[in-house]
């Protein structure tokens, strides 16, 4: 993973802007996923708990199991923010996470809408303070995370 892609200025901007989001992760995660279902409603049927599909995004967004997924997503982002200086240590975990997402029917391409939704949520949270430098720093971090997750799709499972 190219942790050298993030300058120390980028790291500072990411840490500072994450603090506010992370003080109410579910609330902000709801903004992210509401946007995601607007951008790509076909992702909704991928979320099934006890083989039950949701008929509307609202139904999904208010289910306890989905709120738990939001909590997990925010924890992964939090782990990335915590390890900005050593993102390599998350590589294996993220590749496995990618593999799990492939297994539930997610396509790597869908992660670009997730990225847009992440930036949308950050902008909603920070308003004009979410300037071009903060946006670029987050774009870099997100692409590092997606690159690591996509190894779960790209590389055949290693025989250890
Ligand atoms: C296209 C967007 C996504 C879809 C459709 C999706 C779907 C799913 C589904 C169906 C599950 C299994 C059920 C569950 O645990 O709720 C899951 C698990 C999970 N997802 Fe996602 N997900 C998406 C994006 C993400 C992102 C961006 C992250 C974090 C960066 C993430 C983190 C997780 C984690 C940590 C789990 C639990 C994995 C485990 O059981 O070990 N998801 N996801």
């Amino acid at each position: 993973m190219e942790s050298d892609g993030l300058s120390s200025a980028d790291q500072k901007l990411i840490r500072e802007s994450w603090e506010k989001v992370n003080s109410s992760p579910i609330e902000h995660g709801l903004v992210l996923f509401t946007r995601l279902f607007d951008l790509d409603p076909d992702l909704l049927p991928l979320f099934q708990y006890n083989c039950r599909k949701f008929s509307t995004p609202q139904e999904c967004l208010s289910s306890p199991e989905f709120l738990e997924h939001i909590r997990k997503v925010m924890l992964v982002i939090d782990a990335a923010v915590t390890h900005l200086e050593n993102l390599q240590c998350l590589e294996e975990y993220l590749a496995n996470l990618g593999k799990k997402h492939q297994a539930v029917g997610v396509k790597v391409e869908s992660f670009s809408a997730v990225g847009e939704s992440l930036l949308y949520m950050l902008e909603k949270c920070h308003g004009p303070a979410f300037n071009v430098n903060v946006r670029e720093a987050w774009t870099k971090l997100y692409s590092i995370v997606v690159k690591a997750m996509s190894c779960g799709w790209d590389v055949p499972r290693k025989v250890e």
Side-chain angles (χ1 to χ4, degrees), residues 1-68:
M1 237 185 287
E2 327 144 9
S3 56
D4 57 341
L6 290 172
S7 65
S8 46
D10 288 334
Q11 296 184 20
K12 188 166 182 279
L13 292 173
I14 291 170
R15 281 194 199 99
E16 284 169 359
S17 52
W18 181 245
E19 231 171 83
K20 189 173 169 194
V21 174
N22 206 31
S23 64
S24 44
I26 302 295
E27 182 196 320
H28 291 99
L30 278 167
V31 174
L32 191 165
F33 275 92
T34 303
R35 180 66 171 175
L36 182 63
F37 289 139
D38 280 348
L39 292 176
D40 190 350
D42 291 343
L43 293 174
L44 185 63
L46 299 180
F47 291 100
Q48 291 180 33
Y49 301 100
N50 303 317
C51 299
R52 222 181 120 250
K53 285 191 186 177
F54 297 105
S55 41
T56 61
Q58 289 67 30
E59 200 190 322
C60 179
L61 291 159
S62 57
S63 88
E65 295 93 339
F66 186 74
L67 292 174
E68 192 54 25

Side-chain angles (χ1 to χ4, degrees), residues 79-96:
V81 174
T82 306
H83 294 92
L84 288 176
E85 283 173 81
N86 180 25
L87 287 165
Q88 287 88 343
C89 72
L90 296 177
E91 260 178 5
E92 202 180 326
Y93 171 78
L94 291 173
N96 272 316

